[in-house]
Amino acid sequence: MTRRLFSTVAFLGLTISSITSCDSLWTSFTRVDPSICDPSVNACSMTSAIEFESITPQQVPYSGGQPITITGSGFSPKTDALLGTSPLVNQQIVSDQRLSGSAPAAPGRCGKVDLTLKRADGAQLLVPNAFTYTLDPYYGKIPANPMPYIDTANNMIVDDFDLDQQPDLALSVSKQIIIFSGFGTPAEKLLIPFASISSSFIQPIHFSTATIPKNNGFINLDGTRKTLAIYSLNPATGGFDTNNAFGFQYEVRFVLTGDLDQNGNDTILAITSNLNDTTMDSLFIAKFNTTNNKYQPELTPVALQKINRIDSIIFADITNDKYPDIITSTGGRIVTLKRDGSEGPELVRNANSLTSLIAGDWNGDGKMDIAGIESFTMKLVMALNNDNGAWPILSIDAGITAASQSTLVAGDMNCDGKKDIVIMPTASTGAVVKIASLNPLNQIEVKNPLSNLPNGPAAIGDFNRDSFPDIAISKNITGTGTRFYFIPGAIP
């Protein structure tokens, strides 16, 4: 930045200035503008552009108050820094390349905000999403009066079922499927697609037809776990129509959906037990047929492909090509699975088997990582995708008492842009919800922000559309049924 040093004398009401710069030495008549000149150093700043280099730290809790340092150039003699619409508190211009102050409190929400630098001469620079307010620790308002429902809840899923560009919540109970549209908002409405239906598990599914270019439906696994049925939204009636159904000889252990064929239509993958050989499972795949707009199996359900017995299976885009890969855990090994049932590359070899696999970008590097519960030690294990074939393992004792009685749910609970892991007990009473996150040093931190909660299936999303992560929990009460809890995230 070029500075001009002024020596001034008064003559006939004018200020005669002898100006020295790094470029030249010259004399001129001028009136010094005090709004852009700093008399303490007897210097003025040229009208060069403001440049931004860094802000440290890049995130703080929503309460604010932490020291903030911004580096760049063009800050002299007077530049104001705003996080969102709020100026830094007690701001100081340390030098032309550095200014400091304290973070103001969050503007009523968590997440990313813009940084704006405004200089007194009118120069301005906007840095989008440069700073983050975190919801740390997470805070949710536990309702005094949960919503009662009959029957026993099995699982919950989140998707935009009514195609209004907002997340909906679907709940599988033993004799019904319940869908909340606009959940937690004044426009909330309850959809019950069927008066009575046997259900043990539901899963979202997406496909397109000539008449319906986008269809967000669901798969229902019945109470016997031997029949899969696909349902799709009928825009004309607002109800759900049956697309197809498949019956199996043995119980279905896992059901997954994803765009394996990279054609915009989800593929169905189901894993069934194999009673003839307890060391093996059976693999079933069904694809969407664009000719008749129906799902059809690659093999008949009674002639499934045998695969090694698996402990857990998920779809996760670990290759970063925008399409899901099949990831399985078996005997302490996490491996990819090919469509023909054969194993692909081994990703992780662990001392004990991992169950309850989930995927998410735990460290915020843009690559999909994996996590699960170690079956013997009950530790939470994270496997980080370094995109070079190596998967470093991190683990921590998160107070999990039994893998079969805990659910892992991925979601950005503290608004820092990275996925966290919510550890949800499903069988204990007075449950403590734990949230596991990776800190900047790549260490797992486990916090217990909510206690004395109900236990049961859980889902995460911004259901009430206020930019805070919410938690939905269904508690199963023996002899009573299910009580449904909506816990909206908020700033205390």
Side-chain angles (χ1 to χ4, degrees), residues 14 53 68 88 117 140 154 185 189 213-214 217 238 240 289 317 341 347 362 366 379 389 406 447 457 461 464 470:
L14 299 176
E53 183 176 303
I68 297 292
L88 288 190
L117 299 170
N154 301 304
T185 71
K189 60 182 178 180
K214 182 179 181 181
F240 288 82
N289 187 325
D317 179 19
L347 307 179
W362 315 132
K379 289 184 176 180
S406 297
K447 299 180 180 180
N464 60 2
D470 309 315

Side-chain angles (χ1 to χ4, degrees), residues 120-147:
D121 64 357
Q124 181 171 319
L125 178 66
L126 175 68
V127 186
N129 299 323
F131 193 75
T132 301
Y133 283 103
T134 63
L135 190 62
D136 192 9
Y138 177 81
Y139 176 78
K141 298 178 180 178
I142 302 175
N145 299 306
M147 296 174 282

Side-chain angles (χ1 to χ4, degrees), residues 381-464:
V381 176
M382 289 184 179
L384 303 182
N385 182 2
N386 281 356
D387 205 25
N388 60 3
W391 287 73
I393 297 294
L394 305 174
S395 65
I396 192 171
D397 185 350
I400 300 172
T401 56
S404 61
Q405 298 178 0
S406 297
T407 299
L408 301 184
V409 185
D412 182 7
M413 301 304 294
N414 58 4
C415 300
D416 66 351
K418 300 185 297 184
K419 292 294 186 181
D420 309 302
I421 300 174
V422 178
I423 305 168
M424 188 70 208
T426 58
S428 60
T429 58
V432 176
V433 172
K434 301 175 185 289
I435 298 178
S437 307
L438 273 189
N439 64 22
L441 299 178
N442 259 12
Q443 299 167 331
I444 304 177
E445 294 180 348
V446 178
K447 299 180 180 180
N448 307 336
L450 299 172
S451 59
N452 296 320
L453 289 180
N455 55 75
I460 296 170
D462 181 16
F463 301 115
N464 60 2

Side-chain angles (χ1 to χ4, degrees), residues 23-35:
D23 306 310
S24 62
L25 184 65
W26 51 282
T27 301
S28 177
F29 293 93
T30 183
R31 290 187 183 274
V32 178
D33 183 354
S35 68

